[in-house]
Amino acid sequence: MSVLAQAGGRWRSAAARAVIPCLWRGKYFCSGKEPVENNPVTPMLRHLLYKIKSTGPITVAEYMKEVLTNPAKGYYVYRDMLGEQGDFITSPEISQIFGELLGVWFISEWMASGKSAAFQLVELGPGRGTLTGDILRVFSQLGSVLKNCDMSIHLVEVSQKLSEIQALTLTEEKFPLERSAGSPVYMKGITKSGIPVSWYRDLQDVPKDSTADEAAPRQQRLEEAVLGYSFYLAHEFFDVLPVHKFQKTPQGWREVFIDIDPQVSDKLRFVLAPCATPAEVFIQHDETRDHVEVCPEAGVIIQELAQRIALTGGAALIADYGHDGTKTDTFRGFCGHKLHDVLIAPGTADLTADVDFSYLRRMAQGRVASLGPIKQQTFLKNMGIDVRLKVLLDKSAEPSLRQQLLQGYDMLMNPKKMGERFNFFALLPQERLHGRSHQMNARQSEPSPSPVAGFSELAWQ
Ligand code: SAH
């Protein structure tokens, strides 16, 4: 029996929360309205019913983790859910300009931070590999700028199916792949432009530094520009990490769990824990909302990124839909480009929750500086999306291609579409924003650091 069930209290149905206003309640945070024929007993549902029967109700975080990434039946593990035929579409799949501008961002940061002799680009949750592919095209086009720079690509991906698609996108089967299922580096290859690429299931397994020799003190290596920078990229990755959900009640905060509906044996429903649960420590003392979602896994990843960036330099660029600590109930499902009841037919739909950027900022604090979140529209404008669109339009005579470019631009930039829903957030070494003058001899002077592209207008130096 679970700790909660042992506590002996009674599980309350989450329907009790209906009196407390919650954003999107009814639309997303609901179950029970679907007719039985729309609630097929999927293999994942059967697995969850067994699990709950034997160990008691599960947290929303455990539910998300099982449904999305269970190695045998997880939604992400064996399917390609992206694109028109799938369940949702993402910015890199909509327009090549998106990835190209992100490629320019990394080059701009690489230049601003001293043009290290080597860097590694690490993408978390790379989907079909389209974004890294577009970034690498920019790196090739700007080869004269990056010449002599040693680059490698590292992809953190749990999905077997998607990792195969990524390999195809990036290598075009020009070089054979090396596979090693049991190893932390489960696949290795060479991209079509000749850059080594490796796949991992966990960020922890990605090398911390692209240069092997860590013997020299960090300051000396920074001065000599021999420290291998790492650039981290996460696009629509944090929103699929498991969240815990909490509801404020007259008795205090109570965690939302998932249980079997006593009325229908193969149906799930939300319940509130009868007493406080350990995960409650994640709630801020001065929290004013009545419903919160917390993603501890995101906190762990941000702390790891912050520690790495503070150690070796580099940057992390995170783009996702989300809020700055203001939204409440955002847990929802998508299937076939439509909203989907999160408790129905688990394993057949994507599950997601908005990213709380205020939480990410808190988790990074002290080690590195953070910028954002700023709206996608602002970020892309600052990166020169209008100029890039014009160049591509001028180059393309075919009306259907021009139409596609314009539609893609509208989707990315329109405030009613992705322009205001998506945000950019960055982690950077403290000295990148504030300079290193405090560490320098008083007689030495250093120009103030250049603005960070995207968060201000792009300016090549
Ligand atoms: N970044 C891509 C795909 C977004 S979908 C794009 O924008 O098009 C989420 C991606 O994260 C998928 O590649 C999925 O397989 C991967 N993913 C989900 N959970 C993960 C986890 N815990 N660790 C690593 N990758 C994960």
Side-chain angles (χ1 to χ4, degrees):
M1 293 286 274
S2 74
V3 175
L4 283 158
Q6 280 170 359
R10 283 184 36 159
W11 293 86
R12 281 188 288 133
S13 159
R17 291 161 305 135
V19 288
I20 302 164
C22 236
L23 200 69
W24 296 344
R25 164 153 311 132
K27 243 185 191 165
Y28 307 125
F29 191 27
C30 70
S31 69
K33 290 191 188 120
E34 293 280 335
V36 175
E37 62 272 21
N38 292 349
N39 185 18
V41 180
T42 56
M44 176 55 72
L45 178 58
R46 204 168 300 122
H47 163 71
L48 291 167
L49 292 169
Y50 281 135
K51 190 177 169 78
I52 295 171
K53 271 181 203 154
S54 56
T55 58
I58 56 174
T59 63
V60 173
E62 201 175 348
Y63 179 76
M64 266 182 104
K65 200 177 177 98
E66 278 295 312
V67 171
L68 295 182
T69 57
N70 176 295
K73 307 178 183 78
Y75 169 78
Y76 274 110
V77 179
Y78 293 111
R79 69 174 79 203
D80 175 12
M81 67 298 296
L82 287 148
E84 274 173 41
Q85 308 300 317
D87 293 323
F88 58 97
I89 190 148
T90 59
S91 296
E93 301 295 333
I94 289 170
S95 171
Q96 67 178 80
I97 304 180
F98 186 83
E100 290 170 350
L101 296 179
L102 266 52
V104 170
W105 191 86
F106 286 113
I107 295 180
S108 156
E109 270 315 293
W110 172 76
M111 290 169 83
S113 52
K115 301 185 183 177
S116 68
F119 73 77
Q120 50 183 28
L121 175 66
V122 184
E123 187 178 358
L124 308 175
R128 283 181 174 166
T130 310
L131 184 51
T132 288
D134 289 338
I135 290 172
L136 289 183
R137 197 174 55 253
V138 171
F139 288 179
S140 293
Q141 282 162 358
L142 295 177
S144 59
V145 179
L146 286 166
K147 71 172 180 291
N148 302 330
C149 182
D150 230 348
M151 268 185 270
S152 56
I153 306 296
H154 304 262
L155 304 177
V156 180
E157 177 56 82
V158 284
S159 165
Q160 193 178 319
K161 173 81 181 174
L162 289 177
S163 62
E164 294 297 333
I165 298 175
Q166 290 150 19
L168 199 59
T169 308
L170 297 175
T171 69
E172 284 182 356
E173 293 180 321
K174 282 207 170 132
F175 306 98
L177 293 162
E178 248 179 74
R179 290 164 205 276
S180 172
S183 150
V185 192
Y186 65 86
M187 202 157 71
K188 275 185 185 178
I190 307 280
T191 70
K192 55 194 170 201
S193 53
I195 299 172
V197 51
S198 311
W199 280 262
Y200 314 76
R201 286 180 198 88
D202 198 318
L203 172 63
Q204 301 278 351
D205 296 320
V206 177
K208 284 199 165 56
D209 184 349
S210 61
T211 55
D213 178 18
E214 291 193 24
R218 177 172 184 264
Q219 193 54 42
Q220 182 194 329
R221 294 158 77 213
L222 270 175
E223 305 288 351
E224 293 167 4
V226 295
L227 195 72
Y229 281 67
S230 291
F231 289 123
Y232 299 91
L233 173 62
H235 182 261
E236 287 214 40
F237 167 75
F238 279 93
D239 69 277
V240 300
L241 298 180
V243 293
H244 288 267
K245 287 172 80 68
F246 300 91
Q247 178 73 37
K248 196 182 264 173
T249 74
Q251 293 74 41
W253 286 101
R254 291 291 179 264
E255 185 162 4
V256 178
F257 277 66
I258 289 165
D259 196 3
I260 300 169
D261 190 332
Q263 315 287 324
V264 190
S265 60
D266 51 9
K267 200 158 183 298
L268 299 173
R269 64 167 189 162
F270 289 110
V271 291
L272 287 182
C275 54
T277 57
E280 206 190 298
V281 295
F282 295 118
I283 300 175
Q284 295 282 97
H285 294 302
D286 55 357
E287 182 56 66
T288 54
R289 288 170 289 176
D290 55 18
H291 187 99
V292 288
E293 294 167 340
V294 189
C295 183
E297 212 170 293
V300 170
I301 292 173
I302 289 291
Q303 285 177 352
E304 173 75 21
L305 293 179
Q307 193 201 15
R308 284 167 174 244
I309 292 167
L311 176 75
T312 66
L317 189 62
I318 294 164
D320 226 308
Y321 40 80
H323 58 92
D324 214 7
T326 51
K327 283 195 182 172
T328 53
D329 178 16
T330 72
F331 181 40
R332 59 202 186 278
F334 284 100
C335 184
H337 298 269
K338 289 201 183 106
L339 280 165
H340 178 92
D341 186 322
V342 289
L343 298 187
I344 297 291
T348 63
D350 187 31
L351 299 180
T352 168
D354 278 16
V355 174
D356 180 350
F357 289 101
S358 69
Y359 177 70
L360 303 194
R361 195 183 308 113
R362 250 191 344 267
M363 291 296 113
Q365 231 162 34
R367 290 205 171 116
V368 288
S370 67
L371 281 178
I374 62 164
K375 302 287 173 216
Q376 170 156 305
Q377 187 192 34
T378 313
F379 183 90
L380 296 180
K381 197 117 198 144
N382 282 338
M383 290 304 303
I385 189 168
D386 294 308
V387 178
R388 183 65 188 143
L389 176 72
K390 187 169 180 318
V391 169
L392 289 175
L393 285 174
D394 288 349
K395 275 205 282 192
S396 48
E398 207 187 305
S400 66
L401 194 61
R402 291 171 64 84
Q403 171 84 345
Q404 205 186 326
L405 285 166
L406 289 165
Q407 275 176 355
Y409 176 93
D410 180 58
M411 193 78 163
L412 298 184
M413 295 293 282
N414 190 326
K416 293 202 177 101
K417 297 177 181 169
M418 289 166 143
E420 287 204 344
R421 292 211 58 213
F422 280 77
N423 298 274
F424 278 78
F425 179 80
L427 302 178
L428 297 152
Q430 300 280 8
E431 58 262 29
R432 170 69 183 90
L433 291 194
H434 311 301
R436 275 189 283 140
S437 46
H438 61 286
Q439 295 165 357
M440 298 180 82
N441 183 311
R443 276 170 296 142
Q444 290 174 290
S445 66
E446 179 166 298
S448 53
S450 57
V452 177
F455 298 86
S456 342
E457 242 173 76
L458 172 69
W460 290 112
Q461 56 255 276

